Amino acid sequence: MSDKPLNNSSHQVDARRLLCPLPVIRTQDAIANMHDGELLTVTSTDPGAKEDIPSWSRINGHEVLEIKEQDHEIIIIIRVNKPAD
Amino acid sequence: MKQQRKAVALISGGLDSMLAVKVIQEQGIHVEGINFFTGFCVEGHTHAVRKKHKDKQKRNNALWVAEQLGIKLHIVDVVEEYKDVLLNPVHGYGKNVNPCLDCKTFMVKKALEWIKEHDFDFIITGEVVGQRPMSQRRETMPVVAKDSGSNDLLVRPLSARQLPETLPELEGWLDREKLLDFHGRTRKPQMALAKQFGFEDYAQPAGGCCMLTDENYAIKLQDMWANRPSRNYELDDIIMLKMGRHFRLAPHLKIIIGREEGENRFMQGYKNQFVTIFPTSHPGALCLVDGEFKSDEERQQALALVARYSQGKNEPQVTLNIRQTDGSEQEYSIQPIAAEAVKQEWLV
């Protein structure tokens, strides 16, 4: 498993080695402290994250911009949607 | 203008909570879901790491249900607080190590805290009178309402007409006649209602979302408790109980051998917390050592077992490394243990 640094969007959640639903909980907690339009990059090793984080994002109105896989890691980029901010 | 009333629903991901939400939504109530992560949820874990389960859906059912219903879902990490529920259940355990009555009371109590904090009006659950032997009996359902402090703010839409009127009914927020009177263990009314609502795809009909009701898991947990100075546990402990083959070689020593590539990869993430053993001469499984070797014999037993789960199991010798948590490694060669020499009492 790679220990390389995560990529470069404005906020990061390192959910590697966490299993469902912890990657979602970490995402939820991070977004609670973010503002409209900010980007969050979540890195997970749980294949379930590919379904769950987009699902959580949809029901909470956030936009998944990209999902990619490399070296058994799943990287999901989310744009936070909080129009009331 | 009539005030929009709001309810939070305990969402397990099963059919009953899905139906309960829909019944309340039909009465014009704004509903959001809440789901508690105790560490013992069946969701994900083994399915996520094991190739054997690659055909199983890796979705989180609570999230999926929320999406079907068009409601928000709040997932709350209660791992720390839940320890006291599991370790000291006032109402005891069910068939395995499931403290269902205390668990339900705890979750409703947490939901009560949540509605106070978020200015919601009441709580709903998918409970059905007589559905479950411990927490969903006619005698115990009022216990949950009372002990959680939720009292008449707790509505069970599927069985409401079997139970005393709640505040939302008395206040006219809910029409009692449109609530249901399901009771007993039969699932037919739920199936019929699911059909009426157009729900065709849903998770296991009767819940079953907790590892604590699983006999094999309960045995592993009880073994862990019996062989440690304290029953207290960390999240990693209870996740590891779902991974690999467990061999109890001595009260102070258990080894966990991965069953396949996905588990081996997942267990690799614990190499700085546990001493690990892995074959180097042949492809094979990763082993975590939970405890310590107090004799050469114990070390030899562990090595021989790990060798058995390598592709060199029929060879006279397999070479393996024992890696310490600081990264230092030592090489050993050993004859794999024969199947008939694996003691039944080792298997957890």
Side-chain angles (χ1 to χ4, degrees):
Chain A
M1 191 170 295
S2 127
D3 288 321
K4 61 184 176 293
L6 301 175
N7 81 9
N8 54 7
S9 78
S10 53
H11 295 262
Q12 311 279 347
V13 165
D14 182 355
R16 289 178 293 186
R17 294 189 283 277
L18 299 180
L19 294 175
C20 165
L22 284 170
V24 178
I25 293 175
R26 297 287 184 270
T27 302
Q28 173 185 267
D29 293 348
I31 289 181
N33 296 313
M34 290 173 63
H35 300 289
D36 190 38
E38 288 187 315
L39 298 185
L40 175 69
T41 300
V42 183
T43 306
S44 174
T45 44
D46 180 350
K50 277 186 293 187
E51 302 290 332
D52 295 344
I53 291 177
S55 174
W56 181 88
S57 300
R58 283 192 297 272
I59 62 180
N60 288 284
H62 308 298
E63 185 181 2
V64 173
L65 300 179
E66 188 176 358
I67 302 173
K68 58 187 175 186
E69 286 186 63
Q70 56 189 48
D71 301 334
H72 300 295
E73 292 183 355
I74 296 143
I75 298 162
I76 301 173
I77 302 174
I78 304 165
R79 178 156 52 209
V80 173
N81 186 20
K82 290 186 182 177
D85 276 6
Chain B
M1 190 175 138
K2 194 176 164 189
Q3 186 180 346
Q4 170 69 64
R5 295 293 169 183
K6 296 186 286 187
V8 73
L10 269 64
I11 301 286
S12 64
L15 176 61
D16 291 357
S17 49
M18 192 175 183
L19 293 172
V21 170
K22 189 71 177 169
V23 166
I24 295 300
Q25 282 179 318
E26 296 272 294
Q27 296 211 28
I29 304 292
H30 172 83
V31 182
E32 295 188 13
I34 193 165
N35 174 266
F36 295 103
F37 174 60
T38 63
F40 294 101
C41 316
V42 172
E43 304 277 5
H45 292 182
T46 49
H47 297 173
V49 297
R50 294 197 72 188
K51 273 192 179 170
K52 181 184 167 191
H53 297 166
K54 67 181 178 186
D55 296 333
K56 292 204 176 180
Q57 286 175 311
K58 292 179 177 61
R59 74 185 185 200
N60 175 300
N61 281 317
L63 275 170
W64 183 83
V65 160
E67 195 164 9
Q68 299 307 301
L69 293 164
I71 64 172
K72 286 191 175 182
L73 181 72
H74 309 277
I75 306 180
V76 184
D77 180 346
V78 293
V79 170
E80 282 303 313
E81 290 173 87
Y82 196 76
K83 290 177 182 176
D84 189 50
V85 178
L86 176 58
L87 297 175
N88 306 299
V90 175
H91 298 286
Y93 299 106
K95 191 179 169 195
N96 293 301
V97 282
N98 44 311
C100 292
L101 188 49
D102 290 81
C103 179
K104 181 63 79 174
T105 302
F106 168 78
M107 289 184 179
V108 173
K109 188 176 175 187
K110 294 298 294 178
L112 180 65
E113 292 171 10
W114 192 93
I115 64 168
K116 286 179 178 169
E117 194 178 331
H118 294 84
D119 199 23
F120 273 50
D121 299 295
F122 62 99
I123 302 161
I124 61 177
T125 71
E127 293 167 285
V128 169
V129 173
Q131 182 95 163
R132 294 290 182 109
M134 195 170 185
S135 61
Q136 295 187 40
R137 299 201 321 262
R138 192 177 298 278
E139 315 85 83
T140 55
M141 285 171 73
V143 174
V144 173
K146 181 170 175 289
D147 288 2
S148 66
S150 61
N151 299 309
D152 61 0
L153 294 180
L154 177 59
V155 180
R156 283 88 164 214
L158 302 185
S159 278
R161 278 158 46 203
Q162 293 275 328
L163 296 164
E165 278 188 280
T166 58
L167 187 76
E169 295 161 85
L170 292 166
E171 291 288 328
W173 308 338
L174 294 175
D175 179 352
R176 185 172 173 85
E177 292 308 307
K178 292 179 181 166
L179 301 175
L180 300 160
D181 65 350
F182 294 175
H183 60 280
R185 293 185 69 84
T186 175
R187 304 289 301 164
K188 284 181 183 167
Q190 283 94 322
M191 302 293 186
L193 188 59
K195 193 172 178 185
Q196 185 186 319
F197 285 143
F199 298 153
E200 291 174 354
D201 177 18
Y202 42 82
Q204 73 289 352
C209 56
C210 178
M211 294 301 294
L212 296 172
T213 61
D214 180 275
E215 186 180 4
N216 291 329
Y217 188 85
I219 289 168
K220 289 189 176 77
L221 182 59
Q222 286 167 322
D223 168 77
M224 185 180 86
W225 282 343
N227 291 288
R228 286 190 178 181
S230 160
R231 293 165 79 225
N232 204 358
Y233 60 85
E234 298 302 327
L235 180 60
D236 283 339
D237 293 326
I238 58 179
I239 287 177
M240 290 316 301
L241 296 180
K242 297 188 212 175
M243 300 290 161
R245 300 175 181 86
H246 291 231
F247 297 90
R248 168 69 58 194
L249 300 181
H252 55 271
L253 175 64
K254 182 174 76 170
I255 62 170
I256 306 167
I257 301 177
R259 288 171 290 194
E260 59 175 47
E261 187 189 347
E263 279 191 344
N264 290 338
R265 191 181 310 118
F266 181 80
M267 287 161 57
Q268 188 75 26
Y270 290 86
K271 67 183 180 186
N272 296 330
Q273 290 166 253
F274 291 85
V275 170
T276 49
I277 306 175
F278 52 94
T280 54
S281 57
H282 300 79
L286 182 72
C287 167
L288 302 183
V289 179
D290 183 7
E292 58 176 332
F293 300 124
K294 287 191 175 173
S295 67
D296 282 343
E297 185 189 0
E298 287 172 359
R299 184 180 296 104
Q300 300 287 317
Q301 285 171 342
L303 287 163
L305 276 165
V306 182
R308 170 165 174 70
Y309 291 99
S310 77
Q311 288 183 21
K313 67 179 181 181
N314 297 319
E315 302 293 332
Q317 292 279 302
V318 170
T319 305
L320 307 102
N321 278 13
I322 295 183
R323 181 190 184 276
Q324 303 299 321
T325 53
D326 64 5
S328 60
E329 294 183 11
Q330 189 160 1
E331 187 177 273
Y332 296 85
S333 285
I334 195 150
Q335 182 180 3
I337 192 168
E340 57 274 17
V342 177
K343 294 180 184 172
Q344 280 303 305
E345 64 261 31
W346 286 345
L347 294 169
V348 183

